Amino acid sequence: MIQKSKIISTKDNLQVIYEDNHIIVVNKRAGDIVQGDKTGDKPLSDVVKEYIAEKYNKPGNVYLGTVHRLDRPTTGLVIFAKTSKALPRLNKLFVSKDISKTYWALVKNKPKKDSDTLINWLIKNPKNNKSRAHINEVPDSKKAILHYKTIKTLDNYFLLEVNLETGRHHQIRVQLSTIGSPIKGDLKYGFDRSNKDASISLHARNIQFTHPVSKEELNITAPLPKDPIWNACL
């Protein structure tokens, strides 16, 4: 259940980081759900449509294509396609891994290595919406690869920069938990207490890609959540 203290994105407070005729990139808040699910809560995609409709005074249905997702308690950059021309091209960029995504994660337990590549085989359990990591390949598992490095030491936490080579269900969360460094606030993967706003301290910080239409090189960074510990990371 989403706590009352949580701020949800609306068309009036939407954090738009980049926008042009073909794409829009927003800074997702914790609690925003990218696409609709069984909760029935309004998805971020609908909020973006409302924002576009009002800003450009568009009557009727607004076209918007969802390209990728972030877990609900995670914050950071989400790209949407505003045109049918941009959507398949953006999808192709994700499939071909021609989009570079960098995440920041706060952990309490310092990893044994300052930087490393983690390789696991993940199995998703749809009943509890959780993934389990295995060291070796097992039936129905998917290979998961990420690279991390410790970029800052705080009083009680460590800031990790994470780059994904694959995009598996809860990948960063379960792989960091596997090395004994669960993400702050992530009760599902072993952290001892929740964050006050039910978020987890995982932020999609930066994304780099070639614009699907203009071919311009884009390098987009999302501001951090307003929180004293995140503030200390800067």
Side-chain angles (χ1 to χ4, degrees):
M1 182 177 292
I2 301 302
Q3 299 177 16
K4 291 182 180 179
S5 60
K6 182 179 293 297
I7 298 175
I8 305 296
S9 292
T10 68
K11 65 179 176 60
D12 299 314
N13 69 9
L14 189 67
Q15 300 178 89
V16 178
I17 307 301
Y18 176 89
E19 182 182 7
D20 61 28
N21 290 337
H22 293 281
I23 65 175
I24 182 169
V25 183
V26 303
N27 190 14
K28 174 190 168 315
R29 292 179 166 90
D32 290 341
I33 189 164
V34 176
Q35 282 187 302
D37 69 355
K38 60 186 179 183
T39 64
D41 294 341
K42 179 185 286 188
L44 188 58
S45 54
D46 282 1
V47 174
V48 176
K49 285 181 181 180
E50 291 176 354
Y51 162 85
I52 293 171
E54 182 174 281
K55 180 177 181 179
Y56 300 101
N57 194 24
K58 287 195 170 189
N61 294 328
V62 172
Y63 180 91
L64 192 77
T66 301
V67 183
H68 65 120
R69 304 183 189 189
L70 290 179
D71 296 343
R72 186 165 195 164
T74 302
T75 57
L77 296 172
V78 181
I79 307 170
F80 294 97
K82 292 173 64 178
T83 64
S84 56
K85 185 176 185 179
L87 180 60
R89 297 182 184 187
L90 283 169
N91 286 335
K92 188 176 180 180
L93 287 177
F94 273 89
V95 171
S96 62
K97 300 176 183 175
D98 288 323
I99 287 188
S100 173
K101 292 185 289 180
T102 300
Y103 294 79
W104 280 10
L106 285 169
V107 300
K108 190 168 187 177
N109 302 325
K110 184 179 181 180
K112 291 180 180 179
K113 297 180 180 180
D114 286 338
S115 62
D116 201 4
T117 295
L118 304 183
I119 302 175
N120 296 102
W121 296 85
L122 305 189
I123 292 183
K124 177 184 176 181
N125 183 342
K127 291 184 179 179
N128 61 6
N129 190 35
K130 191 173 178 179
S131 285
R132 175 174 289 186
H134 298 265
I135 296 174
N136 299 309
E137 185 175 7
V138 295
D140 300 321
S141 63
K142 293 182 177 180
K143 193 173 187 179
I145 304 172
L146 68 73
H147 313 278
Y148 78 83
K149 62 181 177 181
T150 306
I151 59 173
K152 192 150 191 175
T153 299
L154 307 177
D155 289 341
N156 297 304
Y157 297 96
F158 298 89
L159 176 62
L160 308 183
E161 183 174 278
V162 180
N163 292 97
L164 289 176
E165 204 168 301
T166 55
R168 307 303 183 196
H169 177 257
H170 291 177
Q171 180 177 338
I172 299 174
R173 300 166 66 180
V174 66
Q175 285 195 281
L176 291 183
S177 176
T178 299
I179 62 168
S181 299
I183 294 168
K184 179 179 178 291
D186 197 358
L187 294 175
K188 181 168 280 193
Y189 289 101
F191 201 80
D192 57 1
R193 63 186 183 278
S194 60
N195 290 340
K196 290 181 179 179
D197 62 357
S199 69
I200 63 172
S201 299
L202 178 63
H203 183 66
R205 174 69 169 163
N206 178 268
I207 197 160
Q208 298 179 46
F209 61 101
T210 302
H211 191 287
V213 181
S214 71
K215 305 306 179 186
E216 176 189 358
E217 294 299 323
L218 297 179
N219 186 339
I220 303 169
T221 299
L224 296 173
K226 290 182 173 65
D227 173 88
I229 298 176
W230 275 124
N231 290 343
C233 293
L234 297 174

